[in-house]
Amino acid sequence: MGRLSTVLPSLQQLRQLQLKDSSFCEHEVTCDAVLSGLGALTNLTHLVLPEVADGELLQHLPASLLQLELVVDEDEGPVQLGHLTALTRLDAGQYATLREHHVLPPNLLELSAGNLTAAACLLPLKKLKELTLHTIEYEAASAEQLQQLSSLTALTAVHLTYWTPADITDTAAAGWPALKLRSLHLAPGGDGCFARSTLLQLSLLTDPTAMRQRAMPRLTHLSLEKQRVGRAAAASLSQVRGLRRLQLMDCQLEDCSAAEIALGLKPRLKELDLASNAQLTDACLPPLAYALPGLKESSFRDCAGISREGLRQYVLRAAGDDEDGSYSDSE
């Protein structure tokens, strides 16, 4: 590591550098020792770093960077990247939490992180087009904080994944309509079901009239895991029109509920994943084939109540409309 830190300043023409391999992880070595030498690489545009233990050392990163991928230990000081004015793409790691006191590159177009607790650190990013939060758990930005992001008029795609307890997700849900959500993954941590009001918020994200009035794109990808979807929840989900991909995994889904959802979501839905719903039987397959003739992919993995013969008939019905469809059975 010491040798690398002395060699780096001589590599003036280096444009791409990746310091992310097994030598760092297996020996529990951080990249802090080389960060001080990176400032001399004035032509560097793409950089990948392993875990950074000392946030203050990020000040040594060269201002020439256009893309940066790193893993930040938030317990070791705030993220201070305001000097990277040329940076347009930042991946802070799927477990990094963005907080109010963090300073991010001002001209970002794409930002990926684990979580966000306050909107303040994003509000200066007037050019931001895409925001991805991979791991929202334990704590989450409130609805009021999410609503503040509506001031970012360039932001056209937001992707959120919640692993929080259902009550925390319910609290945040009122802020979703203010965002330009394109994909939403909900997997409640612990026991508990989402409030019906949370599921009703989803229909607002796909309502064509509301979307046109606010000049916003529709939600196209929705995923729910380990969430009981009974008749009332199914009725709400059937109103989430405009979806192109729907995943309801281990949701205790019954035949009648699956059929109701499919009838409501036709004809735009292209991918359907109903894996691990043991209560589904062959009886749900004909309504699905009828309601979703344009389906490209479907999965019934680990659906013990669906037989091979039922799947064969389902595939034959679907193939009559689309020979390119792809299907996965319960094994």
Side-chain angles (χ1 to χ4, degrees):
M1 181 67 69
R3 180 181 301 175
L4 180 60
S5 62
T6 58
V7 169
L8 280 176
S10 65
L11 304 177
Q12 291 292 326
Q13 301 306 312
L14 193 65
R15 294 185 178 277
Q16 298 187 29
L17 177 62
Q18 179 170 330
L19 299 176
K20 188 177 183 180
D21 58 30
S22 58
S23 63
F24 288 98
C25 300
E26 292 178 0
H27 302 290
E28 298 184 352
V29 176
T30 69
C31 65
D32 292 8
V34 302
L35 281 175
S36 59
L38 292 177
L41 303 182
T42 54
N43 289 302
L44 194 66
T45 58
H46 295 66
L47 177 62
V48 178
L49 296 173
E51 183 172 345
V52 177
D54 187 348
E56 292 186 1
L57 292 175
L58 294 175
Q59 295 292 322
H60 294 290
L61 295 179
S64 57
L65 284 176
L66 301 178
Q67 297 186 24
L68 174 62
E69 179 181 339
L70 74 165
V71 178
V72 178
D73 185 346
E74 61 180 288
D75 294 328
E76 298 297 333
V79 175
Q80 301 289 332
L81 297 172
H83 68 292
L84 300 179
T85 56
L87 200 74
T88 58
R89 184 180 184 277
L90 172 62
D91 184 344
Q94 63 177 339
Y95 297 109
T97 297
L98 302 176
R99 301 187 182 278
E100 184 174 7
H101 58 278
H102 290 173
V103 180
L104 299 173
N107 294 310
L108 281 179
L109 301 179
E110 300 177 35
L111 173 60
S112 176
N115 196 1
L116 172 73
T117 60
C121 63
L122 298 188
L123 297 182
L125 309 183
K126 301 303 183 182
K127 297 181 181 180
L128 189 65
K129 293 183 177 181
E130 184 168 356
L131 172 65
T132 302
L133 299 177
H134 296 282
T135 318
I136 303 174
E137 57 181 353
Y138 305 122
E139 54 184 339
S142 65
E144 292 75 17
Q145 291 293 324
L146 294 178
Q147 288 164 357
Q148 291 183 40
L149 298 181
S150 63
S151 66
L152 300 178
T153 56
L155 189 60
T156 56
V158 178
H159 311 276
L160 302 180
T161 298
Y162 282 85
W163 301 94
T164 50
D167 58 336
I168 295 179
T169 304
D170 290 336
T171 301
W176 295 342
L179 303 175
K180 301 174 179 68
L181 270 175
R182 301 307 300 271
S183 64
L184 182 62
H185 181 104
L186 304 176
D191 298 327
C193 295
F194 298 124
R196 192 181 181 197
S197 59
T198 294
L199 298 178
L200 290 174
Q201 290 288 351
L202 300 177
S203 64
L204 297 178
L205 303 176
T206 56
D207 179 76
T209 302
M211 295 298 100
R212 283 195 298 269
Q213 289 175 348
R214 291 180 289 166
M216 294 175 68
R218 293 184 183 183
L219 180 73
T220 58
H221 293 65
L222 175 63
S223 173
L224 274 70
E225 289 188 35
K226 299 181 179 179
Q227 169 69 26
R228 187 179 186 281
V229 177
R231 295 297 298 272
S236 298
L237 289 174
S238 69
Q239 302 302 310
V240 189
R241 298 185 174 94
L243 288 179
R244 300 186 66 82
R245 185 179 190 279
L246 175 64
Q247 180 186 53
L248 300 174
M249 182 180 293
D250 194 9
C251 288
Q252 304 175 48
L253 198 64
E254 297 180 348
D255 293 337
C256 56
S257 296
E260 181 173 6
I261 292 170
L263 288 169
L265 298 185
K266 66 177 185 180
R268 292 180 177 272
L269 198 68
K270 300 301 180 184
E271 300 177 34
L272 178 64
D273 186 347
L274 301 180
S276 301
N277 285 287
Q279 293 169 282
L280 291 179
T281 71
D282 290 353
C284 77
L285 298 176
L288 291 180
Y290 167 76
L292 302 170
L295 210 61
K296 299 294 184 182
E297 295 183 21
S298 59
S299 174
F300 302 96
R301 185 180 66 258
D302 296 327
C303 292
I306 294 180
S307 68
R308 283 188 174 275
E309 177 59 23
L311 282 172
R312 190 181 73 84
Q313 294 296 328
Y314 171 71
V315 170
L316 289 175
R317 290 190 186 94
D321 296 290
D322 185 357
E323 296 182 355
D324 295 328
S326 174
Y327 308 93
S328 173
D329 66 14
S330 59
E331 295 187 355

